[in-house]
Every structure is written in C-alpha cells, then in structure tokens.
Amino acid sequence: MKQHKSTKAFQTLLLLSISCSLSFGQAKWKPITQQSKPWSRWWWEGNSVNPKDLTYNMETYQKAGLGGLEITPIYGVKGQEANFIDFLSPKWVEMFKHTLNEGTRLGLGIDLANASGWPFGGRWVTPEDACKNVNFKTYQLKEGEKLSDVISFQQSPLLRYVLPKKAEISALKYPVSKNENLQELAIDQIKYEKPLPLQTLMAYSDKGEVMNLTGKVSTMGQLNWEAPKGNWTLYAIFQGWHGKMVERAGPGGEGDVIDHFSEKAIQNYLKEFDKAFAKTDVSSMRAFFNDSYEVDDARGQSDWTDDLFKEFQQRRGYDLRNYLPNLFSKENTDLNHRVLFDYRTTIGDLILEKYTGEWAKWAHGRGKIVRNQAHGSPANTLDLYGLVDIPEIEGTDLLRIKFASSASNVLGKKLTSSESATWENEHFLSSLSDVKKALDLFLVGGVNHIFYHGINYSPKNEAFPGWLFYAAVHFTPHNPFWKNFSTLNNYVARTQTFLQDSKPNNDVLLYFPITDRLTEPSHKGLLEHFDGVTPEFNGTDFKEVAQKMIDRGYGFDFISDKQIANLKTQHQQIITGGVAYKTVLLAESEQVPLETLEKLVQLAKSGATIIVHHKLPADVPGLGNLDERRAKFKALLAQLNFVKANAKVNQAKVGEGSFLLGEDLEEMMIYAKIYRETMTDKGLQFVRKTSAKGNYYFINNKSDKAFEGWVKLEVEAKSAALYNPMTEVLGMAKVKNNEVYLQLSVGESCIIETFKTVEKGAAYPYWKASKEAEELKGTWKISFIDGGPTLPKALEIKDLGSWTNAGNAYQDFSGTALYQLNFAKPKTNAQGYWLDLGKVAESASVTLNGKYLATLLGPTFKVFVPNTLLKAENDLAIKISNSMANRVIALEKEGTVWQKFYNINVSARLKQNVGKEGYFTTKNWTPKESGLLEKVTLTPVEVLK
C-alpha cells in the first residue's frame, strides 16, 4: 500500500510538470468497488482447507487487489488424504462459513459453484436422476408373422478413466457412488452391463400405418401381436444411462451427472445444498455458479429423459412416437429434418425451463443470484444466458465472447463475467502481458466482470510450486509475477468502473439463425451443441457477416427468436433492455420461425428498419401444424414488395418502416444511417457504451505496431476526457471534428469519455520524441532478492542479456532480481524522457532516484520520466521477475515429483510436453530467458502541440 501511495504522489508530480492546474475538470477516475475489481475462481483441492490457511490465502488475495472469489472444490492432493473433507459435509460447511466471515472482514465477495467440479452431479445423484440416453432396436415382420425375439436391450459395459488404469468394471460396485475410492479411480464415464427399460414399441407399415404396441409387450419382453396386412418395421425404444461422471470432482462430489432435462432431477439435486446449509447463515454469499455444460464430453450423448414423449407432444403438438423412423434416419429428407428440429427444440426447451429456470428460481428463493456458463449446451445459449443474473463466457474468439454479453445487453443485465486466462500458454510460460491481452479481448467483447481461472488454495508453508490446477496460468504467490499482479488487477478495476457504470451502445441486433443448425443432421448424434460461432457455423453467411461486422467496426449484439418476440419500437428505433438499436439484421437463412417473421414485420410497421443480407428466408422449421404456419409465412413474405432504393439496396416499405435487402452489407448499413467505427482499420478494437453525459469507449491497440493519430468517433464529441487505466494518467483529450487524438503502444488500452458540450480541464499529456534515443551505459549491478531454489550470487555486467547465461545457479532460478545502474543526466535539455527497458522477461518495477515510477507488464516496457526527477547523477533500480519455468525445470532434473494430484494431475497443453506417466513434464525444456535482455534507453520528449 505504501508503494501505491508513492505512485499516486509521483503521478501528481508528473501532471504538475505539464500543467500548473490540479483541476481535472471532467476527467475523473471512478471509485473502485468490490464488484469492479477482478474476481477469481478459487479451487479447493480435496477440500483440504483449514481456518488458518484460509485466512492467509484470502488476505494474500485481498492485498493483490482481488474483489472476490468463487469456490470450486476439486480433486485432492496425494499425501493429503487425511485432510480431505467431503463436499457439503458439516465440516465442509464449517470451513465455508469461516470463508464467508473472512470475506466480510476483508471485503471479498464469495460465490460458490453448485457442484464439486462440473457439470452438476455428485454421490447423492441416484440412477433415476442421472443423465440418460436413448437406444433403439428395429424388427421386421410381414403379414401374419409374430415376433419370436424377446424385446430387450442389454446395455454394453463401458468404463473410461480420466487417465489409463488397470481396474476392471467388474470390480466396481453399483451404483458408482457406493465405491469408496473414487478419488483414486477418477472415472470419467461408466455404463454397467444391465437390461434397459422399454419406453415404447411402435410399428410402421409400408402403407403409412402406425401402431403403438407397447401395451402388448409382456414383462418378459414377449410381444403378443400378429402383423396385419403389409410389411412392418418395429421400433423398440429403450432408455439407458449415459454414464457421465462429474469432471475433476473433489471428495464427496464424485458421482453421476444429473439429467439436465428433468425438473425432478435438479430439484432433488439441490435439496442436498438445502440440507447442508439448513442451520448455517450464508447470507453474505453472493451467487451460485454453474460451470459449462460439458455433459457430452464423453462417448455418446445424453439425449433422453423420462418424460420426453410427453413433453414433446405438449410443446410440438404431435406425438413423436409416430415419427421414430424419421428421428433416427440418416437420410436427408425434408420430413426427417423437421422431426429432428422439433426434437432438438424440445431438448432446448427442457434445459431452459426444467434445468436453468429451476436452478435460478431455487437460488433466487434463497436470496442468491446465479452466474451461468451456457456455452456448449444443446440449446440456444442466448436464451439460457437470458434466464440468469450474470452470463459468463470463456474462450479466445471475440464472436463467442459476444454471446454472453449480447444476452446481458439485450435483456438489460448489468454484468457479464468471463472465465479468463484459462490456459494461455503451456504451464509456467504465461506472463502477465499474455494475461492482459486475454483480458482486453474479453473487455472489448462486452465483459465487465473478470474472473481469473484461477487460484488454488495452497497452505502457507507448502513448498514450491504449491498446489496447482491442471489447466491454468497459475496465479499463485509461488509465481514470481505475483509481485506485480496487483498492477494488472488495478488496471482491470479501473476499466471495469467505467464498463459497469454504463449501458451498451450498439446499433445492430444480429439474428442468431439457430433454426438452420437445428434442422441439419450431425454425425455426432441426435443433438447439436452450441459453443459459439466456430465451428458450428463455419461456411455460413451468418459467420461471414458477424466477422465482417467485427472487422469493419460495427457495434452489434446477437439476438434469439425468443428475445425478438419482446422487442418494441420507439421513434423508429428498436427498444430492448432499456437501450435502443437501429436495426435487426438477418444473415442468409433458409428457415425462421413464423413468430419471428411476424414480429419483424410488426416492428417494421411500427417504424423499424429490418436488414436482410442476400435473400429472405424461404420457409418455417418443424412439422407441427406445418401447412397453416407455412401459409401464414408465405402471406407475410408477400407483403414485402421490394423496389430499388439505389443501385445496391432494395427496399420494401411496410407501414412506417421498411425491409432492406441486398448483397452489399455496408451499402445497406449506410442507407439505414448506421455507421461503423473506422478505428478498426487502424488496428484498434473497441467497445462503446453510453454514459450519463455522453459515451465511453474502451479501446485497445491489438496490432503489432504503436499507434499515433486522430481517431474518428461515431458519437457526438464536442470534448472528451482520456484515461490510461494502466498508468492512471488522465486529462482532457485533443478533439477536433469528432476526432480524438490517441497515442497507444502495442497492446496498450485507453478509455475515452465523450461529452456533448465543451468541457474544460487539465490537458492529457501527449509526448513526442525531440531527439534520438540514448543508451544508458555503465556497470549494471544485479542482485537476486527473492525466489529460489537458492538466491544466486550478485553479478556485475556491462552488456545486458539473460541472467541464465551466467551459469547453472542462474538457470535454475525463478524469482526477482534487482538491476541497479548509476548514470549521468543527459546533456539534452528536454521536458521529459521515455525510459525504455527494451525486451524484458517477464515484468518490471522501476524506481529512479528513490521515486517509484511504474510497474511494467509488457509487451512494451516504457515509462515517462519528468525532467524534474533527473539529477546530475541518477540511480536507476529495476526489479525484474521472471517465470516459474526455470525452477520447475530444476525440480524435475533433481528428481523432485511435484505432479502429485489426483484425477488428471497436471496435463500438458502440447503433445511434446507429455511425460511417460501421461502428465506434463519439462524434461525437454531448456532454461527460459530471464531479466533485462537488451539495451535500456532514454529518449528526450516534448509536449505535442
């Protein structure tokens, strides 16, 4: 905290050097709150926690600048078995209560995953509530024949471990929850050999007749039926068990995954939490969390539930049993596609209502909100996100990220969270610069509530490298970058104060054409899962349009059919979630629901503009009531009489609004008076928000070159404030003709606040080089001040380079080194200087003449030095922290086993790093460069006029 205060003091000095005024007018940082700080997933390995170390961990996190923690219990640490605590046991609840109390004391928010691992499941899940699958057999009969076969289906045994093991399924008890050694077994999927219950037996003749024969099957599987005239195919449907186990489960949380299509299953599942917390005050807890779907990360799919036939008939208006040959057929016929669409839509409805809706209702009834990762579900993820309080996304694809933020924007939710920096590089190689790059992508994608993935509870006295998670960057105090972690956290917190205190400002609602995908068969099975745009929509106009919108700088959100149904119009704009959009855009789609087209026509009649790329949809999906729906659909299309509006745009006026149709997307946008942000042409990415007095832009330079120049904004900007959330520098920006002047290094970000009136205040400091850079030469003194396995002896060098060049002790070292140099003040008289550290491995903290300047995370390692800070002789001190990698390499060379975890242990991201046990290894690695790697320079600068 002392360092933070000195930072503030120095920044005041810096600004004084360019302006005699301390008044910043309209440029003012917002207060940082618990919610605006980044949070983190917090893994409790084996639940081997105790009050003393819980407090130590939480105090450490709080000092690093985190705002909250989400507890996810996972698999245990080998050798800690005596300290394992079963999930939701009285002792576990006692530890959880201590955590809540400490969270209140320290100002840390607490969320809890509703499972030990993911997806929802555990030891208390019975076979009746476990995830199911469908199996079928067919039989052929001719007129007068009786079936001699017994109608039965024997489920084949299947046993899949997370890592290869020799144990056979015959040695395991049934149900799987009765086995005592589930941590050691680490089962991913299990199917016991057993007869499956018959759900229905249907007969179909070659003349189109259908008969339900279920009631004619005896308890012994004998069919009492003689085939009438014709050739008959019989379909016997058996409900089986998918066998998916909870992934990465901790003690007490191992077991079957629940049936996500069953209301009864989720209700029974959640009763265990009610029972556990019945006598405990958990009021200070904020939210329950659901990790990504991932039920079908297994062999086969969980694609059935007890009441599927009943639910299907109620929702689709016809009996699925009459169309079983169409559901299971591999032929590409229109009828088969329509039945498949209706089946998949029903599954999506069940996940939405019976699972997500019931879970959210349960949590809300207990005073909690819910965070949900919907991606990967066999349902419309936009609708799943729409039912929860905080949609959460993960990944590195901007289009995928926008699914969660779109649901928040369209439905007026304040927060969108992200599972961030899940696995940036291979273990131990990710720098804070890598992490920042990942976070910037989330922020540009509309996320405003960052969650790191993540932090492990680790005892205070645990030896290096501490307790680790199998797929993570390793945010741990054992990581040398932890010393500089607070700098990144403060950057995120400052940025999120703006992004949380604003509303979305996007022009376009891009229709999510899930209908076409639900209609198309998949080689993977009956279900289609939706994880984003890639690969599900590869080769489609939808993906091409969405990517073009990103690349060309259009602000947009995805929208679903259900969400379109609730749109309203006002003053020719489209209103949803308390914000206004200018259009709904349809990429080329073959089919859309009748209700969606009806709503779009209604919106146009009320004054809205609807844009259609390439061509109008031609038909409705599904089979139920098809003729009537199709006739209404054709009648609506007939109302759209297109005429040439210009050479590239066709227009059909409908009431007070219109439909636009054409091949050239940008021409239609211009015609609709929707304009792009041209900054994307310059390698800048952005998110635009509406503030109380104007607008906010978060802008990041994603290119590999520094940017300097004027940036045109597509909002009114009579004046603008400029903020650098990394350095805390702020002031009134240079503005002319709705353009703002920016200077951004590679990877650097800024926030622009625009005003509709001319606001005055201290100017933002723009600097330009006045002369060439000058290398700082002399004798560098290097001392190793923190880390291990031991602190190497101090060095003195003339030429900078990796400290690993100095010998074995230096190659093995991971930690922090202090570089010191005495240098004379440059002869050049300048207003200030850029101190450029060049190439650094991995992060740096810079002090000059006893004044802390900055912590630099990269990829650019440059800091401003005011002329007033320089003396005739100057003492430069730079603390460099490298990665964990070199010390881990040394551990393995000496034979120390640090991969000591159950389940998947520590898996490699890259194939070349897989060891003989199947775990990650560094055996083929050479020491990684560390320290100041090239010359350090001072560049004289002057204020840019």
Side-chain angles (χ1 to χ4, degrees):
M1 297 303 293
K2 289 183 180 178
Q3 191 182 71
H4 179 69
K5 289 179 181 177
S6 67
T7 306
K8 288 277 192 181
F10 171 71
Q11 286 161 344
T12 301
L13 176 66
L14 186 157
L15 288 165
L16 277 168
S17 71
I18 60 170
S19 173
C20 62
S21 172
L22 283 175
S23 171
F24 294 109
Q26 295 298 324
K28 183 179 180 181
W29 291 107
K30 296 176 179 292
I32 290 175
T33 66
Q34 179 192 90
Q35 185 170 275
S36 64
K37 295 177 182 180
W39 290 36
S40 181
R41 186 156 303 160
W42 189 21
W43 294 295
W44 285 10
E45 285 183 291
N47 298 310
S48 301
V49 299
N50 63 74
K52 182 179 179 180
D53 282 319
L54 283 169
T55 295
Y56 160 74
N57 276 254
M58 295 177 74
E59 288 177 346
T60 303
Y61 307 153
Q62 190 254 11
K63 289 174 184 176
L66 294 180
L69 302 162
E70 168 228 300
I71 298 168
T72 296
I74 58 164
Y75 51 82
V77 181
K78 294 177 181 178
Q80 288 288 324
E81 292 81 3
N83 297 319
F84 285 179
I85 303 172
D86 278 353
F87 183 47
L88 298 183
S89 67
K91 187 174 181 181
W92 189 94
V93 172
E94 182 183 334
M95 296 301 103
F96 182 62
K97 179 59 179 174
H98 175 81
T99 301
L100 291 178
N101 291 340
E102 288 296 86
T104 299
R105 179 178 71 86
L106 296 168
L108 291 170
I110 301 295
D111 291 355
L112 174 65
N114 254 133
S116 176
W118 65 90
F120 284 8
R123 288 188 187 177
W124 61 95
V125 175
T126 65
E128 290 73 24
D129 289 340
C131 52
K132 313 291 195 307
N133 68 0
V134 65
N135 303 269
F136 70 94
K137 275 186 177 181
T138 61
Y139 308 89
Q140 301 294 327
L141 290 178
K142 296 179 180 179
E143 180 181 354
E145 291 183 342
K146 286 190 174 184
L147 187 66
S148 58
D149 295 353
V150 173
I151 298 175
S152 65
F153 194 104
Q154 190 77 1
Q155 180 169 268
S156 299
L158 171 67
L159 180 58
R160 297 174 64 244
Y161 292 106
V162 173
L163 292 173
K165 288 184 174 64
K166 294 181 180 179
E168 299 293 334
I169 194 170
S170 57
L172 299 180
K173 299 176 184 177
Y174 175 83
V176 69
S177 58
K178 288 188 176 181
N179 294 278
E180 298 296 327
N181 58 337
L182 291 174
Q183 278 294 291
E184 174 64 34
L185 289 171
I187 301 170
D188 183 71
Q189 187 179 14
I190 183 169
K191 294 183 181 183
Y192 293 88
E193 185 172 15
K194 58 188 299 188
L196 300 183
L198 175 70
Q199 275 213 327
T200 192
L201 177 66
M202 301 296 296
Y204 309 88
S205 78
D206 53 359
K207 305 299 183 184
E209 300 169 279
V210 181
M211 298 180 67
N212 188 333
L213 305 179
T214 311
K216 299 182 181 295
V217 181
S218 73
T219 57
M220 301 301 293
Q222 298 290 340
L223 175 61
N224 183 21
W225 181 74
E226 182 179 298
K229 185 177 181 180
N231 297 313
W232 293 81
T233 300
L234 278 57
Y235 274 73
I237 303 299
F238 303 87
Q239 180 171 275
W241 282 266
H242 180 240
K244 178 65 176 177
M245 296 277 284
V246 179
E247 292 193 28
R248 317 299 176 240
E254 315 97 326
D256 282 306
V257 167
I258 67 166
D259 179 352
H260 281 66
F261 317 138
S262 166
E263 182 177 320
K264 176 177 67 71
I266 185 65
Q267 289 175 345
N268 288 341
Y269 176 76
L270 294 172
K271 287 177 183 176
E272 197 73 10
F273 290 84
D274 288 334
K275 178 182 173 183
F277 296 141
K279 298 180 181 180
T280 304
D281 178 11
V282 295
S283 58
S284 62
M285 172 187 155
R286 183 187 71 157
F288 285 106
F289 171 65
N290 173 42
D291 210 330
S292 50
Y293 185 75
E294 298 190 39
V295 179
D296 295 330
D297 288 1
R299 190 172 299 174
Q301 297 181 336
S302 173
D303 51 17
W304 209 256
T305 191
D306 292 343
D307 295 331
L308 185 65
F309 287 129
K310 175 185 173 184
E311 293 285 353
F312 185 98
Q313 184 147 13
Q314 289 176 349
R315 296 164 187 276
R316 309 280 82 87
Y318 67 96
D319 193 339
L320 179 60
R321 287 171 290 200
N322 294 337
Y323 294 89
L324 294 177
N326 307 102
L327 178 64
F328 296 114
S329 175
K330 303 297 183 183
E331 294 182 19
N332 287 318
T333 68
D334 182 66
L335 178 58
N336 293 349
H337 292 176
R338 292 183 179 280
V339 173
L340 181 63
F341 171 87
D342 286 339
Y343 159 80
R344 289 174 171 173
T345 302
T346 302
I347 290 291
D349 289 347
L350 295 178
I351 296 177
L352 181 70
E353 299 169 24
K354 305 296 186 180
Y355 170 65
T356 309
E358 283 297 313
W359 171 57
K361 183 173 70 174
W362 171 83
H364 293 161
R366 286 144 186 82
K368 309 302 173 193
I369 61 174
V370 289
R371 280 176 38 239
N372 183 41
Q373 293 186 358
H375 50 275
S377 302
N380 193 319
T381 51
L382 291 172
D383 295 332
L384 297 179
Y385 284 133
L387 272 186
V388 302
D389 303 289
I390 306 177
E392 178 162 301
I393 193 64
E394 62 177 306
T396 57
D397 177 25
L398 193 52
L399 291 177
R400 186 191 204 212
I401 292 168
K402 285 181 70 68
F403 272 81
S405 61
S406 291
S408 292
N409 293 345
V410 167
L411 297 172
K413 301 177 188 296
K414 185 174 181 180
L415 298 176
T416 304
S417 59
S418 60
E419 176 190 303
S420 312
T422 301
W423 211 350
E424 290 306 302
N425 300 313
E426 187 58 278
H427 290 284
F428 312 118
L429 297 185
S430 294
S431 67
L432 290 176
S433 175
D434 296 326
V435 175
K436 179 186 176 294
K437 182 178 180 180
L439 301 188
D440 286 335
L441 188 68
F442 283 117
L443 296 170
V444 165
V447 168
N448 59 4
H449 191 26
I450 293 289
F451 273 76
Y452 293 113
H453 184 277
I455 296 176
N456 284 72
Y457 167 95
S458 195
K460 181 178 182 180
N461 296 322
E462 181 69 18
F464 180 92
W467 293 1
L468 302 176
F469 186 65
Y470 82 99
V473 168
H474 306 309
F475 298 97
T476 167
H478 286 289
N479 195 325
F481 76 32
W482 188 270
K483 289 183 178 298
N484 300 322
F485 188 32
S486 62
T487 298
L488 180 62
N489 293 333
N490 292 336
Y491 164 80
V492 173
R494 293 184 198 108
T495 301
Q496 291 189 157
T497 60
F498 287 88
L499 299 182
Q500 291 178 3
D501 187 29
S502 53
K503 291 187 176 182
N505 185 331
N506 292 320
D507 294 324
V508 179
L509 291 166
L510 177 57
Y511 173 64
F512 180 42
I514 194 172
T515 295
D516 285 347
R517 294 298 300 121
L518 291 176
T519 300
E520 297 173 8
S522 169
H523 68 278
K524 296 179 181 179
L526 287 176
L527 298 177
E528 184 67 61
H529 298 79
F530 295 93
D531 213 32
V533 175
T534 304
E536 297 93 318
F537 290 87
N538 284 349
T540 65
D541 187 55
F542 169 66
K543 181 178 178 179
E544 183 179 325
V545 165
Q547 190 61 55
K548 184 173 184 177
M549 300 266 284
I550 292 282
D551 296 340
R552 298 293 286 166
Y554 290 102
F556 72 94
D557 288 311
F558 297 117
I559 190 166
S560 72
D561 295 288
K562 289 183 187 294
Q563 292 161 0
I564 283 177
N566 295 315
L567 297 179
K568 297 182 178 358
T569 55
Q570 184 178 18
H571 307 306
Q572 296 185 316
Q573 293 186 312
I574 299 168
I575 308 300
T576 179
V579 297
Y581 293 81
K582 294 181 180 179
T583 190
V584 176
L585 168 62
L586 273 69
E588 182 179 341
S589 303
E590 292 300 320
Q591 298 180 338
V592 300
L594 170 64
E595 297 80 3
T596 297
L597 184 59
E598 286 176 332
K599 184 65 179 186
L600 294 176
V601 171
Q602 178 191 330
L603 291 170
K605 287 180 177 179
S606 300
T609 298
I610 310 300
I611 298 177
V612 183
H613 192 231
H614 284 327
K615 67 177 186 178
L616 290 163
D619 206 350
V620 294
L623 183 60
N625 204 19
L626 176 59
D627 291 341
E628 181 181 344
R629 290 187 297 118
R630 182 177 274 164
K632 290 181 179 179
F633 191 86
K634 299 294 185 185
L636 286 169
L637 292 179
Q639 295 180 32
L640 306 180
N641 299 309
F642 287 94
V643 297
K644 284 281 186 181
N646 62 34
K648 295 185 177 181
V649 179
N650 299 299
Q651 183 180 36
K653 293 185 177 180
V654 183
E656 298 177 12
S658 67
F659 277 68
L660 302 181
L661 176 65
E663 300 289 326
D664 193 319
L665 179 61
E666 290 199 39
E667 285 293 328
M668 289 191 288
M669 291 291 192
I670 292 170
Y671 190 85
K673 298 181 179 180
I674 299 169
Y675 305 107
R676 68 189 189 92
E677 297 282 0
T678 55
M679 70 177 79
T680 57
D681 299 344
K682 302 174 181 181
L684 306 180
Q685 55 185 354
F686 73 96
V687 64
R688 185 177 65 208
K689 306 291 289 285
T690 298
S691 67
K693 295 184 179 180
N695 293 94
Y696 298 139
Y697 284 80
F698 172 77
I699 300 173
N700 171 256
N701 180 12
K702 69 172 183 176
S703 73
D704 58 359
K705 296 179 181 179
F707 172 80
E708 180 167 359
W710 291 98
V711 172
K712 185 176 183 292
L713 305 180
E714 288 302 328
V715 300
E716 184 179 5
K718 295 289 180 60
S719 58
L722 189 56
Y723 305 83
N724 187 315
M726 182 63 77
T727 65
E728 286 190 87
V729 174
L730 75 169
M732 298 305 293
K734 293 180 181 294
V735 177
K736 69 170 186 181
N737 301 325
N738 242 57
E739 295 184 355
V740 176
Y741 199 82
L742 296 182
Q743 294 176 321
L744 293 172
S745 301
V746 175
E748 193 172 20
S749 303
C750 69
I751 296 167
I752 298 175
E753 181 178 14
T754 68
F755 305 101
K756 297 178 181 178
T757 56
V758 176
E759 303 287 345
K760 300 293 184 179
Y764 187 88
Y766 297 93
W767 301 104
K768 70 173 183 178
S770 56
K771 290 193 175 180
E772 293 294 318
E774 179 181 329
E775 182 181 357
L776 295 185
K777 296 181 178 180
T779 299
W780 288 91
K781 297 179 179 180
I782 309 174
S783 54
F784 296 85
I785 58 177
D786 187 63
T790 59
L791 297 179
K793 293 180 180 180
L795 298 170
E796 291 190 5
I797 59 174
K798 293 282 188 181
D799 298 318
L800 291 169
S802 176
W803 73 53
T804 58
N805 297 331
N808 290 339
Y810 304 89
Q811 292 177 357
D812 297 346
F813 179 75
S814 288
T816 301
L818 174 64
Y819 286 69
Q820 294 175 290
L821 177 72
N822 179 268
F823 68 93
K825 183 177 180 178
K827 295 178 181 179
T828 304
N829 187 24
Q831 291 175 294
Y833 301 84
W834 282 121
L835 174 63
D836 191 340
L837 307 187
K839 186 178 179 183
V840 176
E842 302 281 341
S843 56
S845 178
V846 185
T847 301
L848 181 62
N849 295 329
K851 288 285 187 180
Y852 169 76
L853 294 183
T855 296
L856 307 175
L857 308 183
T860 302
F861 294 88
K862 187 170 70 171
V863 60
F864 177 75
V865 179
N867 182 54
T868 54
L869 191 57
L870 289 176
K871 304 175 183 179
E873 292 293 325
N874 300 276
D875 294 315
L876 177 62
I878 307 171
K879 294 178 181 178
I880 302 293
S881 298
N882 69 343
S883 72
M884 299 175 76
N886 290 348
R887 191 170 176 183
V888 176
I889 295 170
L891 277 179
E892 288 204 38
K893 283 182 178 178
E894 70 182 26
T896 299
V897 178
W898 57 271
Q899 306 99 321
K900 55 184 181 181
F901 310 100
Y902 281 102
N903 202 276
I904 199 168
N905 206 323
V906 180
S907 61
R909 190 167 189 249
L910 302 175
K911 187 176 181 180
Q912 61 264 34
N913 298 323
V914 178
K916 62 181 180 179
E917 299 290 334
Y919 311 148
F920 166 82
T921 181
T922 63
K923 67 179 182 180
N924 296 321
W925 288 15
T926 55
K928 306 303 176 183
E929 287 188 319
S930 302
L932 289 173
L933 304 181
E934 56 188 31
K935 64 183 181 181
V936 174
T937 62
L938 271 180
T939 303
V941 296
E942 60 186 14
V943 174
L944 180 67
K945 302 296 185 181

